[in-house]
mmCIF file of all heavy atoms in Angstrom:
data_model
loop_
_atom_site.group_PDB
_atom_site.id
_atom_site.type_symbol
_atom_site.label_atom_id
_atom_site.label_comp_id
_atom_site.label_asym_id
_atom_site.label_seq_id
_atom_site.Cartn_x
_atom_site.Cartn_y
_atom_site.Cartn_z
ATOM 1 N N ASP A 31 14.728 3.086 -0.665
ATOM 2 C CA ASP A 31 14.865 2.477 -1.987
ATOM 3 C C ASP A 31 13.559 1.797 -2.395
ATOM 4 O O ASP A 31 12.614 1.679 -1.606
ATOM 5 C CB ASP A 31 16.024 1.487 -2.000
ATOM 6 C CG ASP A 31 15.745 0.270 -1.134
ATOM 7 O OD1 ASP A 31 15.230 0.448 -0.011
ATOM 8 O OD2 ASP A 31 16.035 -0.855 -1.562
ATOM 9 N N ALA A 32 13.495 1.343 -3.637
ATOM 10 C CA ALA A 32 12.261 0.781 -4.180
ATOM 11 C C ALA A 32 11.817 -0.469 -3.433
ATOM 12 O O ALA A 32 10.619 -0.670 -3.197
ATOM 13 C CB ALA A 32 12.451 0.466 -5.667
ATOM 14 N N ALA A 33 12.761 -1.324 -3.032
ATOM 15 C CA ALA A 33 12.404 -2.568 -2.346
ATOM 16 C C ALA A 33 11.744 -2.287 -0.999
ATOM 17 O O ALA A 33 10.727 -2.897 -0.649
ATOM 18 C CB ALA A 33 13.646 -3.441 -2.161
ATOM 19 N N THR A 34 12.315 -1.365 -0.228
ATOM 20 C CA THR A 34 11.742 -1.014 1.074
ATOM 21 C C THR A 34 10.396 -0.331 0.893
ATOM 22 O O THR A 34 9.443 -0.572 1.649
ATOM 23 C CB THR A 34 12.700 -0.097 1.848
ATOM 24 O OG1 THR A 34 13.972 -0.730 1.973
ATOM 25 C CG2 THR A 34 12.153 0.207 3.241
ATOM 26 N N MET A 35 10.304 0.536 -0.107
ATOM 27 C CA MET A 35 9.033 1.200 -0.393
ATOM 28 C C MET A 35 7.953 0.165 -0.696
ATOM 29 O O MET A 35 6.809 0.269 -0.215
ATOM 30 C CB MET A 35 9.199 2.148 -1.579
ATOM 31 C CG MET A 35 7.931 2.889 -1.965
ATOM 32 S SD MET A 35 8.128 3.847 -3.492
ATOM 33 C CE MET A 35 9.382 5.016 -2.989
ATOM 34 N N THR A 36 8.292 -0.854 -1.461
ATOM 35 C CA THR A 36 7.334 -1.901 -1.796
ATOM 36 C C THR A 36 6.873 -2.645 -0.552
ATOM 37 O O THR A 36 5.680 -2.934 -0.385
ATOM 38 C CB THR A 36 7.965 -2.890 -2.794
ATOM 39 O OG1 THR A 36 8.351 -2.189 -3.968
ATOM 40 C CG2 THR A 36 6.988 -3.996 -3.152
ATOM 41 N N GLU A 37 7.812 -2.960 0.346
ATOM 42 C CA GLU A 37 7.451 -3.647 1.581
ATOM 43 C C GLU A 37 6.481 -2.821 2.418
ATOM 44 O O GLU A 37 5.525 -3.347 2.987
ATOM 45 C CB GLU A 37 8.711 -3.958 2.399
ATOM 46 C CG GLU A 37 9.533 -5.121 1.871
ATOM 47 C CD GLU A 37 10.569 -5.570 2.888
ATOM 48 O OE1 GLU A 37 10.195 -5.813 4.061
ATOM 49 O OE2 GLU A 37 11.752 -5.641 2.517
ATOM 50 N N MET A 38 6.715 -1.522 2.517
ATOM 51 C CA MET A 38 5.835 -0.667 3.304
ATOM 52 C C MET A 38 4.436 -0.625 2.715
ATOM 53 O O MET A 38 3.435 -0.737 3.425
ATOM 54 C CB MET A 38 6.413 0.750 3.398
ATOM 55 C CG MET A 38 7.571 0.897 4.352
ATOM 56 S SD MET A 38 7.956 2.626 4.690
ATOM 57 C CE MET A 38 8.573 3.130 3.092
ATOM 58 N N LEU A 39 4.351 -0.473 1.399
ATOM 59 C CA LEU A 39 3.048 -0.321 0.757
ATOM 60 C C LEU A 39 2.271 -1.626 0.698
ATOM 61 O O LEU A 39 1.060 -1.619 0.430
ATOM 62 C CB LEU A 39 3.224 0.249 -0.649
ATOM 63 C CG LEU A 39 3.811 1.667 -0.699
ATOM 64 C CD1 LEU A 39 3.990 2.120 -2.140
ATOM 65 C CD2 LEU A 39 2.918 2.643 0.055
ATOM 66 N N LYS A 40 2.931 -2.763 0.992
ATOM 67 C CA LYS A 40 2.247 -4.051 1.039
ATOM 68 C C LYS A 40 1.687 -4.365 2.418
ATOM 69 O O LYS A 40 0.971 -5.362 2.578
ATOM 70 C CB LYS A 40 3.209 -5.169 0.605
ATOM 71 C CG LYS A 40 3.457 -5.237 -0.893
ATOM 72 C CD LYS A 40 4.368 -6.394 -1.247
ATOM 73 C CE LYS A 40 4.565 -6.499 -2.768
ATOM 74 N NZ LYS A 40 5.484 -7.620 -3.108
ATOM 75 N N LEU A 41 1.996 -3.547 3.410
ATOM 76 C CA LEU A 41 1.458 -3.776 4.749
ATOM 77 C C LEU A 41 -0.061 -3.689 4.717
ATOM 78 O O LEU A 41 -0.643 -2.865 4.012
ATOM 79 C CB LEU A 41 2.018 -2.748 5.730
ATOM 80 C CG LEU A 41 3.521 -2.802 6.014
ATOM 81 C CD1 LEU A 41 3.943 -1.652 6.915
ATOM 82 C CD2 LEU A 41 3.907 -4.134 6.640
ATOM 83 N N ASP A 42 -0.704 -4.564 5.488
ATOM 84 C CA ASP A 42 -2.168 -4.598 5.499
ATOM 85 C C ASP A 42 -2.772 -3.246 5.831
ATOM 86 O O ASP A 42 -3.830 -2.878 5.307
ATOM 87 C CB ASP A 42 -2.662 -5.639 6.506
ATOM 88 C CG ASP A 42 -2.375 -7.065 6.053
ATOM 89 O OD1 ASP A 42 -2.165 -7.251 4.829
ATOM 90 O OD2 ASP A 42 -2.354 -7.966 6.905
ATOM 91 N N GLU A 43 -2.112 -2.489 6.698
ATOM 92 C CA GLU A 43 -2.650 -1.195 7.119
ATOM 93 C C GLU A 43 -2.731 -0.202 5.961
ATOM 94 O O GLU A 43 -3.463 0.787 6.043
ATOM 95 C CB GLU A 43 -1.790 -0.606 8.232
ATOM 96 C CG GLU A 43 -1.920 -1.312 9.573
ATOM 97 C CD GLU A 43 -1.102 -2.593 9.658
ATOM 98 O OE1 GLU A 43 -0.377 -2.912 8.674
ATOM 99 O OE2 GLU A 43 -1.191 -3.286 10.686
ATOM 100 N N PHE A 44 -1.981 -0.444 4.905
ATOM 101 C CA PHE A 44 -1.997 0.453 3.755
ATOM 102 C C PHE A 44 -2.627 -0.208 2.520
ATOM 103 O O PHE A 44 -2.461 0.264 1.405
ATOM 104 C CB PHE A 44 -0.576 0.908 3.426
ATOM 105 C CG PHE A 44 0.126 1.502 4.604
ATOM 106 C CD1 PHE A 44 1.315 0.968 5.056
ATOM 107 C CD2 PHE A 44 -0.423 2.574 5.296
ATOM 108 C CE1 PHE A 44 1.956 1.496 6.166
ATOM 109 C CE2 PHE A 44 0.212 3.113 6.396
ATOM 110 C CZ PHE A 44 1.397 2.576 6.838
ATOM 111 N N ARG A 45 -3.377 -1.341 2.767
ATOM 112 C CA ARG A 45 -3.994 -2.037 1.637
ATOM 113 C C ARG A 45 -5.479 -2.304 1.891
ATOM 114 O O ARG A 45 -6.050 -3.210 1.299
ATOM 115 C CB ARG A 45 -3.302 -3.386 1.394
ATOM 116 C CG ARG A 45 -1.871 -3.255 0.907
ATOM 117 C CD ARG A 45 -1.402 -4.555 0.275
ATOM 118 N NE ARG A 45 -1.488 -5.679 1.216
ATOM 119 C CZ ARG A 45 -1.478 -6.947 0.847
ATOM 120 N NH1 ARG A 45 -1.416 -7.267 -0.435
ATOM 121 N NH2 ARG A 45 -1.543 -7.905 1.747
ATOM 122 N N ASP A 46 -6.102 -1.508 2.750
ATOM 123 C CA ASP A 46 -7.512 -1.755 3.034
ATOM 124 C C ASP A 46 -8.389 -1.292 1.871
ATOM 125 O O ASP A 46 -7.923 -0.717 0.893
ATOM 126 C CB ASP A 46 -7.941 -1.080 4.348
ATOM 127 C CG ASP A 46 -7.747 0.426 4.321
ATOM 128 O OD1 ASP A 46 -7.723 1.003 3.221
ATOM 129 O OD2 ASP A 46 -7.629 1.024 5.406
ATOM 130 N N ALA A 47 -9.682 -1.560 1.984
ATOM 131 C CA ALA A 47 -10.608 -1.258 0.887
ATOM 132 C C ALA A 47 -10.651 0.226 0.575
ATOM 133 O O ALA A 47 -10.687 0.634 -0.589
ATOM 134 C CB ALA A 47 -12.003 -1.759 1.247
ATOM 135 N N ALA A 48 -10.624 1.061 1.622
ATOM 136 C CA ALA A 48 -10.679 2.513 1.406
ATOM 137 C C ALA A 48 -9.454 2.988 0.647
ATOM 138 O O ALA A 48 -9.536 3.858 -0.222
ATOM 139 C CB ALA A 48 -10.792 3.247 2.742
ATOM 140 N N ALA A 49 -8.308 2.374 0.960
ATOM 141 C CA ALA A 49 -7.086 2.750 0.253
ATOM 142 C C ALA A 49 -7.201 2.414 -1.227
ATOM 143 O O ALA A 49 -6.796 3.193 -2.096
ATOM 144 C CB ALA A 49 -5.884 2.036 0.862
ATOM 145 N N GLY A 50 -7.790 1.219 -1.538
ATOM 146 C CA GLY A 50 -7.947 0.837 -2.926
ATOM 147 C C GLY A 50 -8.878 1.758 -3.684
ATOM 148 O O GLY A 50 -8.607 2.154 -4.817
ATOM 149 N N LEU A 51 -9.985 2.121 -3.049
ATOM 150 C CA LEU A 51 -10.926 3.030 -3.696
ATOM 151 C C LEU A 51 -10.296 4.388 -3.954
ATOM 152 O O LEU A 51 -10.485 4.999 -5.007
ATOM 153 C CB LEU A 51 -12.180 3.183 -2.827
ATOM 154 C CG LEU A 51 -13.113 1.963 -2.761
ATOM 155 C CD1 LEU A 51 -14.213 2.199 -1.737
ATOM 156 C CD2 LEU A 51 -13.701 1.666 -4.131
ATOM 157 N N ASN A 52 -9.509 4.864 -2.977
ATOM 158 C CA ASN A 52 -8.857 6.164 -3.129
ATOM 159 C C ASN A 52 -7.831 6.132 -4.259
ATOM 160 O O ASN A 52 -7.724 7.066 -5.059
ATOM 161 C CB ASN A 52 -8.176 6.578 -1.821
ATOM 162 C CG ASN A 52 -7.606 7.981 -1.887
ATOM 163 O OD1 ASN A 52 -8.338 8.930 -2.121
ATOM 164 N ND2 ASN A 52 -6.305 8.104 -1.662
ATOM 165 N N PHE A 53 -7.099 5.015 -4.365
ATOM 166 C CA PHE A 53 -6.082 4.900 -5.411
ATOM 167 C C PHE A 53 -6.728 4.871 -6.801
ATOM 168 O O PHE A 53 -6.288 5.548 -7.729
ATOM 169 C CB PHE A 53 -5.240 3.644 -5.191
ATOM 170 C CG PHE A 53 -4.219 3.402 -6.270
ATOM 171 C CD1 PHE A 53 -3.097 4.202 -6.361
ATOM 172 C CD2 PHE A 53 -4.394 2.400 -7.201
ATOM 173 C CE1 PHE A 53 -2.154 4.000 -7.360
ATOM 174 C CE2 PHE A 53 -3.465 2.189 -8.201
ATOM 175 C CZ PHE A 53 -2.343 2.991 -8.269
ATOM 176 N N HIS A 54 -7.814 4.085 -6.933
ATOM 177 C CA HIS A 54 -8.476 3.997 -8.239
ATOM 178 C C HIS A 54 -9.159 5.307 -8.602
ATOM 179 O O HIS A 54 -9.259 5.657 -9.789
ATOM 180 C CB HIS A 54 -9.491 2.855 -8.243
ATOM 181 C CG HIS A 54 -8.873 1.500 -8.255
ATOM 182 N ND1 HIS A 54 -8.107 1.037 -9.301
ATOM 183 C CD2 HIS A 54 -8.877 0.502 -7.330
ATOM 184 C CE1 HIS A 54 -7.678 -0.187 -9.040
ATOM 185 N NE2 HIS A 54 -8.128 -0.538 -7.841
ATOM 186 N N GLY A 55 -9.618 6.048 -7.594
ATOM 187 C CA GLY A 55 -10.337 7.286 -7.866
ATOM 188 C C GLY A 55 -9.444 8.481 -8.123
ATOM 189 O O GLY A 55 -9.740 9.329 -8.971
#
């Protein structure tokens, strides 16, 4: 569900700088 998905995507392992650059690009 959306709540669990949000928790997973907030984990530090999925919020590093490379992840941010990839998302914006």
Side-chain angles (χ1 to χ4, degrees):
D31 68 317
T34 304
M35 180 187 297
T36 301
E37 284 193 51
M38 284 193 292
L39 296 178
K40 284 182 177 179
L41 294 175
D42 290 340
E43 288 80 3
F44 306 122
R45 293 198 302 162
D46 60 24
L51 289 173
N52 186 59
F53 177 72
H54 288 296

